[in-house]
mmCIF file with all atom_site columns, all heavy atoms in Angstrom:
data_model
loop_
_atom_site.group_PDB
_atom_site.id
_atom_site.type_symbol
_atom_site.label_atom_id
_atom_site.label_alt_id
_atom_site.label_comp_id
_atom_site.label_asym_id
_atom_site.label_entity_id
_atom_site.label_seq_id
_atom_site.pdbx_PDB_ins_code
_atom_site.Cartn_x
_atom_site.Cartn_y
_atom_site.Cartn_z
_atom_site.occupancy
_atom_site.B_iso_or_equiv
_atom_site.pdbx_formal_charge
_atom_site.auth_seq_id
_atom_site.auth_comp_id
_atom_site.auth_asym_id
_atom_site.auth_atom_id
_atom_site.pdbx_PDB_model_num
ATOM 1  N N   . THR A 1 61 ? -8.348  -83.795 56.849 1.00 0.00 ? 70 THR A N   1
ATOM 2  C CA  . THR A 1 61 ? -8.720  -84.320 58.119 1.00 0.00 ? 70 THR A CA  1
ATOM 3  C C   . THR A 1 61 ? -9.806  -83.328 58.632 1.00 0.00 ? 70 THR A C   1
ATOM 4  O O   . THR A 1 61 ? -9.492  -82.132 58.857 1.00 0.00 ? 70 THR A O   1
ATOM 5  C CB  . THR A 1 61 ? -7.545  -84.363 59.122 1.00 0.00 ? 70 THR A CB  1
ATOM 6  O OG1 . THR A 1 61 ? -6.577  -85.209 58.557 1.00 0.00 ? 70 THR A OG1 1
ATOM 7  C CG2 . THR A 1 61 ? -7.966  -84.800 60.450 1.00 0.00 ? 70 THR A CG2 1
ATOM 8  N N   . PRO A 1 62 ? -11.011 -83.840 58.897 1.00 0.00 ? 71 PRO A N   1
ATOM 9  C CA  . PRO A 1 62 ? -12.045 -82.956 59.501 1.00 0.00 ? 71 PRO A CA  1
ATOM 10 C C   . PRO A 1 62 ? -11.794 -82.589 60.950 1.00 0.00 ? 71 PRO A C   1
ATOM 11 O O   . PRO A 1 62 ? -11.183 -83.370 61.678 1.00 0.00 ? 71 PRO A O   1
ATOM 12 C CB  . PRO A 1 62 ? -13.297 -83.827 59.347 1.00 0.00 ? 71 PRO A CB  1
ATOM 13 C CG  . PRO A 1 62 ? -12.857 -85.198 59.422 1.00 0.00 ? 71 PRO A CG  1
ATOM 14 C CD  . PRO A 1 62 ? -11.488 -85.179 58.768 1.00 0.00 ? 71 PRO A CD  1
ATOM 15 N N   . SER A 1 63 ? -12.185 -81.438 61.319 1.00 0.00 ? 72 SER A N   1
ATOM 16 C CA  . SER A 1 63 ? -12.072 -81.064 62.746 1.00 0.00 ? 72 SER A CA  1
ATOM 17 C C   . SER A 1 63 ? -13.343 -80.088 63.104 1.00 0.00 ? 72 SER A C   1
ATOM 18 O O   . SER A 1 63 ? -13.795 -79.330 62.208 1.00 0.00 ? 72 SER A O   1
ATOM 19 C CB  . SER A 1 63 ? -10.740 -80.261 62.959 1.00 0.00 ? 72 SER A CB  1
ATOM 20 O OG  . SER A 1 63 ? -10.770 -78.978 62.282 1.00 0.00 ? 72 SER A OG  1
ATOM 21 N N   . MET A 1 64 ? -13.773 -80.249 64.321 1.00 0.00 ? 73 MET A N   1
ATOM 22 C CA  . MET A 1 64 ? -14.903 -79.463 64.838 1.00 0.00 ? 73 MET A CA  1
ATOM 23 C C   . MET A 1 64 ? -14.378 -78.024 65.094 1.00 0.00 ? 73 MET A C   1
ATOM 24 O O   . MET A 1 64 ? -13.266 -77.756 65.578 1.00 0.00 ? 73 MET A O   1
ATOM 25 C CB  . MET A 1 64 ? -15.406 -80.003 66.068 1.00 0.00 ? 73 MET A CB  1
ATOM 26 C CG  . MET A 1 64 ? -16.117 -81.437 65.883 1.00 0.00 ? 73 MET A CG  1
ATOM 27 S SD  . MET A 1 64 ? -16.831 -82.154 67.308 1.00 0.00 ? 73 MET A SD  1
ATOM 28 C CE  . MET A 1 64 ? -15.303 -82.563 68.252 1.00 0.00 ? 73 MET A CE  1
ATOM 29 N N   . ALA A 1 65 ? -15.171 -77.029 64.630 1.00 0.00 ? 74 ALA A N   1
ATOM 30 C CA  . ALA A 1 65 ? -14.770 -75.633 64.766 1.00 0.00 ? 74 ALA A CA  1
ATOM 31 C C   . ALA A 1 65 ? -15.922 -74.762 65.115 1.00 0.00 ? 74 ALA A C   1
ATOM 32 O O   . ALA A 1 65 ? -17.052 -75.125 64.945 1.00 0.00 ? 74 ALA A O   1
ATOM 33 C CB  . ALA A 1 65 ? -14.126 -75.199 63.336 1.00 0.00 ? 74 ALA A CB  1
ATOM 34 N N   . ILE A 1 66 ? -15.568 -73.577 65.552 1.00 0.00 ? 75 ILE A N   1
ATOM 35 C CA  . ILE A 1 66 ? -16.536 -72.483 65.839 1.00 0.00 ? 75 ILE A CA  1
ATOM 36 C C   . ILE A 1 66 ? -16.320 -71.341 64.935 1.00 0.00 ? 75 ILE A C   1
ATOM 37 O O   . ILE A 1 66 ? -15.105 -70.955 64.708 1.00 0.00 ? 75 ILE A O   1
ATOM 38 C CB  . ILE A 1 66 ? -16.383 -71.958 67.333 1.00 0.00 ? 75 ILE A CB  1
ATOM 39 C CG1 . ILE A 1 66 ? -16.738 -73.070 68.311 1.00 0.00 ? 75 ILE A CG1 1
ATOM 40 C CG2 . ILE A 1 66 ? -17.379 -70.814 67.588 1.00 0.00 ? 75 ILE A CG2 1
ATOM 41 C CD1 . ILE A 1 66 ? -16.465 -72.609 69.699 1.00 0.00 ? 75 ILE A CD1 1
ATOM 42 N N   . THR A 1 67 ? -17.422 -70.789 64.315 1.00 0.00 ? 76 THR A N   1
ATOM 43 C CA  . THR A 1 67 ? -17.237 -69.656 63.424 1.00 0.00 ? 76 THR A CA  1
ATOM 44 C C   . THR A 1 67 ? -18.074 -68.530 63.973 1.00 0.00 ? 76 THR A C   1
ATOM 45 O O   . THR A 1 67 ? -18.989 -68.710 64.768 1.00 0.00 ? 76 THR A O   1
ATOM 46 C CB  . THR A 1 67 ? -17.716 -69.968 61.996 1.00 0.00 ? 76 THR A CB  1
ATOM 47 O OG1 . THR A 1 67 ? -19.133 -70.348 62.045 1.00 0.00 ? 76 THR A OG1 1
ATOM 48 C CG2 . THR A 1 67 ? -16.989 -71.167 61.450 1.00 0.00 ? 76 THR A CG2 1
ATOM 49 N N   . TYR A 1 68 ? -17.744 -67.256 63.548 1.00 0.00 ? 77 TYR A N   1
ATOM 50 C CA  . TYR A 1 68 ? -18.510 -66.106 63.901 1.00 0.00 ? 77 TYR A CA  1
ATOM 51 C C   . TYR A 1 68 ? -18.783 -65.299 62.674 1.00 0.00 ? 77 TYR A C   1
ATOM 52 O O   . TYR A 1 68 ? -17.850 -64.995 61.856 1.00 0.00 ? 77 TYR A O   1
ATOM 53 C CB  . TYR A 1 68 ? -17.765 -65.183 64.980 1.00 0.00 ? 77 TYR A CB  1
ATOM 54 C CG  . TYR A 1 68 ? -18.499 -63.970 65.328 1.00 0.00 ? 77 TYR A CG  1
ATOM 55 C CD1 . TYR A 1 68 ? -19.580 -64.029 66.135 1.00 0.00 ? 77 TYR A CD1 1
ATOM 56 C CD2 . TYR A 1 68 ? -18.067 -62.755 64.751 1.00 0.00 ? 77 TYR A CD2 1
ATOM 57 C CE1 . TYR A 1 68 ? -20.281 -62.857 66.463 1.00 0.00 ? 77 TYR A CE1 1
ATOM 58 C CE2 . TYR A 1 68 ? -18.711 -61.606 65.022 1.00 0.00 ? 77 TYR A CE2 1
ATOM 59 C CZ  . TYR A 1 68 ? -19.903 -61.642 65.879 1.00 0.00 ? 77 TYR A CZ  1
ATOM 60 O OH  . TYR A 1 68 ? -20.581 -60.495 66.164 1.00 0.00 ? 77 TYR A OH  1
ATOM 61 N N   . THR A 1 69 ? -20.000 -64.961 62.497 1.00 0.00 ? 78 THR A N   1
ATOM 62 C CA  . THR A 1 69 ? -20.358 -64.099 61.317 1.00 0.00 ? 78 THR A CA  1
ATOM 63 C C   . THR A 1 69 ? -20.974 -62.836 61.813 1.00 0.00 ? 78 THR A C   1
ATOM 64 O O   . THR A 1 69 ? -22.009 -62.846 62.459 1.00 0.00 ? 78 THR A O   1
ATOM 65 C CB  . THR A 1 69 ? -21.360 -64.868 60.433 1.00 0.00 ? 78 THR A CB  1
ATOM 66 O OG1 . THR A 1 69 ? -20.861 -66.140 60.037 1.00 0.00 ? 78 THR A OG1 1
ATOM 67 C CG2 . THR A 1 69 ? -21.754 -64.027 59.165 1.00 0.00 ? 78 THR A CG2 1
ATOM 68 N N   . LYS A 1 70 ? -20.293 -61.761 61.546 1.00 0.00 ? 79 LYS A N   1
ATOM 69 C CA  . LYS A 1 70 ? -20.833 -60.473 61.968 1.00 0.00 ? 79 LYS A CA  1
ATOM 70 C C   . LYS A 1 70 ? -21.634 -59.819 60.873 1.00 0.00 ? 79 LYS A C   1
ATOM 71 O O   . LYS A 1 70 ? -21.326 -59.981 59.721 1.00 0.00 ? 79 LYS A O   1
ATOM 72 C CB  . LYS A 1 70 ? -19.657 -59.510 62.453 1.00 0.00 ? 79 LYS A CB  1
ATOM 73 C CG  . LYS A 1 70 ? -18.692 -59.139 61.399 1.00 0.00 ? 79 LYS A CG  1
ATOM 74 C CD  . LYS A 1 70 ? -17.605 -58.231 61.971 1.00 0.00 ? 79 LYS A CD  1
ATOM 75 C CE  . LYS A 1 70 ? -16.601 -57.901 60.873 1.00 0.00 ? 79 LYS A CE  1
ATOM 76 N NZ  . LYS A 1 70 ? -15.472 -57.054 61.421 1.00 0.00 ? 79 LYS A NZ  1
ATOM 77 N N   . SER A 1 71 ? -22.654 -59.127 61.292 1.00 0.00 ? 80 SER A N   1
ATOM 78 C CA  . SER A 1 71 ? -23.534 -58.433 60.402 1.00 0.00 ? 80 SER A CA  1
ATOM 79 C C   . SER A 1 71 ? -22.928 -57.045 60.061 1.00 0.00 ? 80 SER A C   1
ATOM 80 O O   . SER A 1 71 ? -21.954 -56.696 60.677 1.00 0.00 ? 80 SER A O   1
ATOM 81 C CB  . SER A 1 71 ? -24.878 -58.277 60.886 1.00 0.00 ? 80 SER A CB  1
ATOM 82 O OG  . SER A 1 71 ? -24.932 -57.346 61.997 1.00 0.00 ? 80 SER A OG  1
#
Side-chain angles (χ1 to χ4, degrees):
T70 302
S72 65
M73 294 180 288
I75 296 174
T76 64
Y77 177 76
T78 305
K79 63 181 178 182
S80 68

